[in-house]
Amino acid sequence: MEKLIIQGNHPLNGEIKISGAKNATLPILAASLLSEAPIQVSNIPHLQDVTTIVSLLGQIGVNITLDERTNIEINAKELCSFHAPYELVRTMRASILVLGPLLSRLGEAEVSLPGGCAIGTRPVDQHLKGLQAMGAEIQIEKGYIKAKAKRLRGASIVMDIVTVTGTENIMMAATLAKGQTIIHNAAREPEVTDLANFLNTLGAKIKGAGTSTIIIDGVDHLTGGSYHVLPDRIETGTYLAAAAITRGKIKLKNTRPDLLESVLLKLEEAGAFIDTGTDWVSLDMKGQRPRAVNVSTAPFPAFPTDMQAQMMALNTVAEGSGVITETVFENRFMHVQELQRMGANIALKGNTAICMGIDNLHGAPVMATDLRASASLVLAGLAAHGETTINRIYHIDRGYECIEEKLAQLGARIHRMPEGN
Ligand code: UD1
């Protein structure tokens, strides 16, 4: 299996471009199932998760052409299947995003239940409850969600908890439903808004995305169109944290700093000097050690759970102690044990991690366990004295485009060791 090798303790310095958002690309590609007309999407990141959804859509009959750059052409005129098999869904939970669109477009969908994952049980009950409220008949058989509905009808749906892909699934399904759907307690993440903007470009009638009440007036069909995916705020935050942990100075272009205020405020609290423009953000530690910060994760606009592990890495070498509380996923501290192998002083109590900053981490062989946990190990490796080897990096490739190339562009001493070495 491939590994990343990092020689740490060098400040990052320089400029890089941020890629399109993974968590916007996945629902947007799934939503293309709703239209019979050609669609072009640009700013698509080259990621393993994108390859997975492209394979899934290909099996369903969608014609997809990807170019060398970041553009994709999609034609979902003739679909040949409503089945999302276990083999693909188990590699990426977000495959559940095809459930709403398939059901709405074909009146039938069979999607493998995603099951558990490293960061928690992650049920999909809210997705199913919403679709049932719209008239779908749903059965769970042999590990599959089997859903049927002649034509979904609009409904008023109150989500019991804030769920990002749950909101997206229902929003997509409601686009072609008969009548009006109102989603109460909807997720407000920018990627939900990006999906709504994409669907509206194709003629959908969605209002209120970005607030907790989304109103969708169903239409009979969608048209084709072109769309540019928004930048990845988590990739942006990860590189900023990487600069902060190495006491460096970087500028990130092609991004949207307005989408990550909660993260920028925490980095400032940690001692970073941050400057922003509409499509760029820069961070300068002026060579200083970061200060430890307290963080509590929650749905947008609060601090994102997808940045929790990276802030934990920062706290490990910061001055003072910081408390991190994870409220979104019940088991998202898999990185703690690996950080401890590098010398970090972290105590875990339930959903809280108390981290006493130490002067230096030391390089060690570590294991990536999930996507964002892997990012935190890369950050720790960049700051650590000596060599860090990160194993199982396929997790990183799911969500970070060319991570070693981008970090090398910022002066990091990092390389990928191919399989078999
Ligand atoms: C999305 C993001 C992921 C991010 C997460 C939280 C994508 C592709 N992934 O994941 O990167 O970490 O939001 O910001 O966009 N839950 C239920 N029942 C449900 C659905 C969710 O109990 O039907 C629970 C989950 O177990 C979790 C919480 O709700 O505890 C939030 O999960 P959710 O927002 O659904 O996460 P995802 O959409 O899977």
Side-chain angles (χ1 to χ4, degrees):
M1 255 181 234
E2 293 187 334
K3 299 168 182 175
L4 279 181
I5 318 275
I6 303 173
Q7 308 288 339
N9 195 25
H10 299 287
L12 295 188
N13 197 307
E15 280 187 17
I16 53 167
K17 282 185 188 163
I18 291 301
S19 304
K22 168 180 88 73
N23 286 354
T25 301
L26 299 177
I28 284 173
L29 294 186
S32 66
L33 284 168
L34 291 163
S35 172
E36 292 183 36
I39 296 168
Q40 296 83 35
V41 186
S42 55
N43 207 27
I44 298 273
H46 288 279
L47 299 171
Q48 188 52 47
D49 275 7
V50 173
T51 308
T52 305
I53 196 126
V54 165
S55 314
L56 177 52
L57 294 174
Q59 288 188 14
I60 291 169
V62 183
N63 206 318
I64 297 181
T65 323
L66 272 154
D67 74 9
E68 297 278 286
R69 302 169 70 109
T70 61
N71 309 310
I72 200 167
E73 297 233 345
I74 308 164
N75 193 322
K77 191 169 171 39
E78 278 158 34
L79 303 182
C80 57
S81 165
F82 49 76
H83 183 78
Y86 173 70
E87 293 68 38
L88 281 174
V89 178
R90 82 183 163 88
T91 63
M92 186 182 74
R93 293 182 45 86
S95 310
I96 188 76
L97 284 166
V98 298
L99 176 63
L102 277 179
L103 181 60
S104 201
R105 168 88 187 271
L106 299 177
E108 192 157 6
E110 257 182 36
V111 178
S112 169
L113 267 173
C117 73
I119 64 175
T121 47
R122 296 179 86 172
V124 290
D125 56 306
Q126 297 301 308
H127 301 233
L128 305 188
K129 188 183 117 171
L131 296 173
Q132 276 166 331
M134 296 170 74
E137 276 175 36
I138 297 185
Q139 277 169 355
I140 309 290
E141 263 175 43
K142 299 182 182 161
Y144 277 81
I145 302 162
K146 297 192 172 177
K148 276 190 187 169
K150 271 215 177 88
R151 183 171 180 191
L152 292 169
R153 49 174 196 272
S156 179
I157 297 163
V158 183
M159 308 297 275
D160 296 335
I161 45 159
V162 178
T163 149
V164 176
T165 49
T167 302
E168 292 167 345
N169 235 335
I170 294 165
M171 188 163 83
M172 290 186 281
T175 299
L176 295 183
K178 190 169 169 51
Q180 186 176 76
T181 299
I182 305 179
I183 310 175
H184 300 278
N185 199 23
R188 291 180 284 165
E189 268 65 5
E191 294 76 20
V192 175
T193 311
D194 211 40
L195 172 63
N197 291 342
F198 167 71
L199 287 166
N200 284 341
T201 304
L202 307 184
K205 292 193 175 151
I206 303 173
K207 284 185 293 201
T211 75
S212 54
T213 308
I214 301 180
I215 302 168
I216 306 120
D217 284 302
V219 295
D220 289 337
H221 66 274
L222 293 180
T223 62
S226 301
Y227 195 75
H228 190 82
V229 174
L230 97 169
D232 199 310
R233 65 195 165 99
I234 304 300
E235 188 195 22
T236 307
T238 302
Y239 284 107
L240 291 177
I245 198 172
T246 60
R247 308 183 191 187
K249 179 180 176 187
I250 65 167
K251 184 172 180 183
L252 305 175
K253 296 184 297 185
N254 288 20
T255 187
R256 288 266 309 270
D258 58 312
L259 304 181
L260 87 165
E261 267 179 37
S262 60
V263 174
L264 299 185
L265 287 171
K266 279 294 161 193
L267 288 167
E268 280 181 332
E269 214 180 302
F273 293 85
I274 289 182
D275 204 0
T276 59
T278 42
D279 63 353
W280 59 269
V281 54
S282 67
L283 177 147
D284 188 354
M285 287 304 283
K286 301 204 189 282
Q288 298 299 308
R289 182 180 182 188
R291 292 189 292 270
V293 289
N294 298 333
V295 168
S296 183
T297 66
F300 191 85
F303 193 91
T305 172
D306 284 350
M307 277 298 300
Q308 179 258 104
Q310 298 90 314
M311 286 311 271
M312 176 104 70
L314 188 67
N315 274 351
T316 62
V317 291
E319 207 175 309
S321 61
V323 179
I324 293 191
T325 310
E326 172 58 59
T327 75
V328 180
F329 291 110
E330 76 266 30
N331 187 25
R332 208 175 196 178
F333 283 141
M334 305 288 281
H335 42 289
V336 168
Q337 281 188 353
E338 299 300 305
L339 291 170
Q340 284 167 338
R341 303 189 66 250
M342 300 175 73
N345 183 351
I346 306 169
L348 274 184
K349 204 171 175 217
N351 68 342
T352 301
I354 303 150
C355 188
M356 301 286 294
I358 55 170
D359 287 345
N360 298 306
L361 293 170
H362 49 78
V366 289
M367 186 89 86
T369 49
D370 70 68
L371 172 53
R372 307 303 170 185
S374 320
S376 79
L377 298 178
V378 172
L379 265 53
L382 291 170
H385 287 222
E387 183 173 288
T388 297
T389 308
I390 306 179
N391 296 288
R392 291 208 188 153
I393 54 164
Y394 55 86
H395 288 292
I396 302 184
D397 295 331
R398 285 189 41 215
Y400 290 93
E401 183 171 38
C402 306
I403 190 164
E404 73 273 23
E405 283 168 36
K406 288 191 182 185
L407 284 171
Q409 223 173 310
L410 296 171
R413 295 169 195 190
I414 179 168
H415 68 275
R416 183 179 290 250
M417 194 186 276
E419 227 160 309
N421 282 296

